[in-house]
């Protein structure tokens, strides 16, 4: 991208935010097939960038340290084949929303309190990328239920593993004795089950994996409805 002077005023920063957002929205909606193809899991760590001219780009992160701007989520391509397509796109949308805000407030470091408040108000008036990608309409000041109780209500005990949620998660909140599940082994490294580590179960072969072994974090797992392990993904199992 050609170098230009960075935006300084609230209006300039918001214009930059809106343009970058438009590019990313296009990547995850109108150009989604092209975007999906570019995110090959066999390639190195890739990032999705939105540019001030409303274009988007999938490429490697900046080489300079520290980078000129905050960097978007790294390695978005690695989870592509291990998640349902819509779940994967939703996860990228969430990370992209976070990145856009970080870039805006990086540019707005010299703004005063009222200017920062006005900048956030302008960005907050636009639907998030996550809302656009998932089709959710933004709501205004609607009281939200306790997310903790929601996750507890969604969790259910399985007959072949310590605990499952919608994405067959095995997490550190499991409180039963480890001895009961001592025979549960990671399908990748062969390590024993431990309640102090995050695990995830494949909905296809029903094997369990350390999250770190299959590059799935607890936050990423929140957006996975049905998890397919790397082995099942390579075999093309449904």
């Amino acid at each position: 991208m050609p170098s230009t002077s960075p935006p300084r005023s609230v209006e300039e920063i918001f214009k930059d935010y809106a343009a970058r957002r438009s590019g990313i929205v296009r990547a995850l909606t109108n150009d989604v097939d092209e975007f999906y193809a570019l995110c090959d899991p066999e390639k190195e760590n890739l990032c999705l960038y939105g540019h001030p001219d409303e274009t988007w780009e999938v490429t490697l992160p900046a080489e300079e340290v520290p980078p000129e701007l905050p960097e978007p989520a790294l390695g978005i391509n690695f989870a592509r084949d291990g998640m349902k397509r819509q779940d994967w796109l939703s996860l990228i949308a969430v990370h992209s929303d976070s990145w856009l805000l970080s870039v805006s407030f990086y540019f707005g470091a010299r703004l005063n309190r009222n200017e920062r408040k006005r900048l956030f108000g302008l960005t907050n008036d636009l639907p998030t990328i996550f809302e656009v990608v998932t089709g959710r309409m933004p709501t205004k000041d609607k009281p939200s239920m306790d997310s903790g109780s929601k996750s507890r209500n969604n969790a259910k005990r399985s007959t072949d593993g310590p605990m499952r949620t919608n994405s067959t998660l095995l997490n550190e909140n499991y409180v039963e004795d480890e001895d009961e599940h001592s025979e549960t082994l990671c399908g990748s490294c062969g390590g024993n089950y431990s309640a102090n580590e995050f695990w995830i179960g494949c909905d296809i072969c029903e094997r369990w994996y350390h999250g770190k072994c299959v590059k799935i974090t607890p936050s990423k797992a929140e957006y996975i409805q049905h998890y397919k392990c790397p082995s099942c993904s390579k075999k093309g199992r449904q």
Side-chain angles (χ1 to χ4, degrees):
M1 301 298 297
S3 59
T4 57
S5 58
R8 297 294 185 187
S9 69
V10 171
E11 290 72 20
E12 289 173 342
I13 296 171
F14 175 66
K15 181 179 179 181
D16 179 271
Y17 170 92
R20 293 177 189 272
R21 174 187 172 278
S22 294
I24 294 177
V25 167
R26 184 177 299 111
L28 300 181
T29 54
N30 295 344
D31 299 345
V32 67
D33 290 335
E34 180 185 356
F35 170 72
Y36 188 89
L38 288 172
C39 293
D40 185 348
E42 298 300 321
K43 294 181 180 179
E44 296 184 48
N45 295 304
L46 296 176
C47 299
L48 171 61
Y49 291 87
H51 294 303
D53 61 356
E54 300 188 10
T55 61
W56 60 272
E57 181 182 19
V58 172
T59 187
L60 295 172
E63 294 184 0
E64 63 267 22
V65 178
E68 181 181 353
L69 291 176
E71 285 291 296
L74 179 67
I76 59 173
N77 50 315
F78 292 146
R80 191 195 71 177
D81 294 344
M83 301 174 66
K84 281 193 171 182
R85 176 161 162 158
Q86 188 59 38
D87 293 338
W88 177 69
L89 293 172
S90 298
L91 178 63
I92 294 172
V94 170
H95 281 292
S96 296
D97 282 320
S98 301
W99 176 67
L100 288 175
L101 286 174
S102 69
V103 171
S104 291
F105 280 83
Y106 174 85
F107 285 138
R110 292 179 175 82
L111 298 178
N112 62 37
R113 179 179 179 181
N114 290 332
E115 289 172 331
R116 291 194 303 271
K117 185 176 181 179
R118 185 154 61 92
L119 174 60
F120 179 76
L122 290 171
T123 59
N124 199 41
D125 283 341
L126 292 175
T128 65
I129 299 175
F130 177 75
E131 289 169 340
V132 174
V133 169
T134 60
R136 299 185 183 184
M137 295 300 293
T139 57
K140 293 185 178 180
D141 301 328
K142 182 178 179 180
S144 59
M145 295 180 63
D146 178 17
S147 58
S149 62
K150 180 179 179 181
S151 63
R152 287 193 295 273
N153 292 335
N154 284 344
K156 60 182 179 180
R157 191 70 46 76
S158 73
T159 58
D160 58 347
M163 179 172 284
R164 290 177 185 266
T165 61
N166 290 339
S167 55
T168 63
L169 304 183
L170 180 61
N171 60 48
E172 61 186 10
N173 293 326
Y174 182 65
V175 296
E176 289 190 9
D177 294 336
E178 279 192 49
D179 292 343
E180 183 181 344
H181 310 290
S182 60
E183 296 181 0
T184 302
L185 303 177
C186 175
S188 178
C189 71
N192 289 322
Y193 164 72
S194 170
N196 295 322
E197 296 179 295
F198 172 74
W199 287 59
I200 186 166
C202 177
D203 285 298
I204 307 301
C205 67
E206 298 189 345
R207 292 177 181 171
W208 291 91
Y209 296 86
H210 289 110
K212 61 185 179 182
C213 290
V214 290
K215 296 184 174 65
I216 299 293
T217 63
S219 60
K220 184 182 295 183
E222 289 291 330
Y223 299 92
I224 303 176
Q225 294 299 317
H226 298 282
Y227 176 66
K228 186 188 295 184
C229 71
S231 178
C232 290
S233 296
K234 289 181 180 179
K235 294 176 182 177
R237 293 180 178 176
Q238 300 297 321

